[in-house]
Amino acid sequence: MRLGVIKTAVNLDPSWIDFDLETTLKDRLGKPVRVANDADIQGLGAIAGTGVELVITLGTGFGSGLFVDGILVPNLELGHHPFRKGETYEQQLGRSALDTVGSKRWNRRLEKALTSLQNLFNCDRIYIGGGNTKKIVFELPPQVKIVPNVSGLLGGIALWRD
């Protein structure tokens, strides 16, 4: 999502690409509207607001949001970035991968991904949200925390802070 316009739609119909969601909703509802991607919203409800904080969401796909001192770094799409074996984070860690390779291999991949992302961003904290967090079976590093789905609701409220 960029300035209210959907830029990628890997898990949606291709007709969503370049769709101006913000303007469409504002025009149809006749009310002010703010839109953001799901990982960004989850992050707004989860972060502490200090340092470098990375949010990843594990669900149908692999979402990501990066924050520096509480400010969102816009347009991060880590899910589509190459990760390992010629595949992206989403291909290796999305729901389809979990179903295909099973929990044990998926967890090993996630451990590698967390190490890679920590090295890449030198994060103070990494937050993991989404439905597939319940599939995590290894001990997370101290700077990594699973956040509840309610963080997404809190993030929706936080989106309206000015």
Side-chain angles (χ1 to χ4, degrees):
M1 176 113 21
R2 184 181 174 111
L3 301 174
V5 177
I6 296 169
K7 300 312 275 179
T8 60
V10 174
N11 297 309
L12 299 173
D13 188 85
S15 64
W16 283 94
I17 297 172
D18 290 327
F19 181 74
D20 189 342
L21 180 61
E22 185 170 326
T23 299
T24 300
L25 288 173
K26 185 175 83 174
D27 291 348
R28 290 202 181 168
L29 297 172
K31 302 284 182 191
V33 172
R34 293 185 181 176
V35 296
N37 93 18
D38 56 346
D40 294 345
I41 295 293
Q42 182 95 13
L44 285 169
I47 62 168
T50 58
V52 177
E53 299 175 285
L54 178 66
V55 177
I56 61 172
T57 56
L58 303 171
T60 303
F62 181 95
S64 58
L66 183 66
F67 298 82
V68 178
D69 292 329
I71 305 296
L72 174 66
V73 176
N75 312 319
L76 184 67
E77 286 289 348
L78 277 179
H80 308 301
H81 189 270
F83 170 43
R84 57 187 293 274
K85 297 190 176 185
E87 292 186 328
T88 64
Y89 284 93
E90 182 146 331
Q91 290 170 313
Q92 290 270 307
L93 294 166
R95 180 66 193 197
S96 177
L98 175 59
D99 292 343
T100 301
V101 304
S103 179
K104 186 175 181 179
R105 284 180 60 197
W106 182 86
N107 271 274
R108 283 196 310 260
R109 289 176 178 184
L110 181 58
E111 281 188 280
K112 290 176 184 174
L114 291 172
T115 298
S116 176
L117 294 170
Q118 179 61 37
N119 290 336
L120 179 63
F121 292 105
N122 196 22
C123 305
D124 294 294
R125 282 167 299 286
I126 298 175
Y127 303 95
I128 308 174
N132 289 337
T133 57
K134 63 184 175 283
K135 303 288 187 179
I136 298 172
V137 296
F138 61 94
E139 187 172 341
L140 295 170
Q143 80 278 12
V144 179
K145 175 184 175 188
I146 294 175
V147 295
N149 288 337
V150 72
S151 297
L153 295 172
L154 298 172
I157 295 167
L159 186 61
W160 287 90
R161 283 189 219 132
D162 284 324

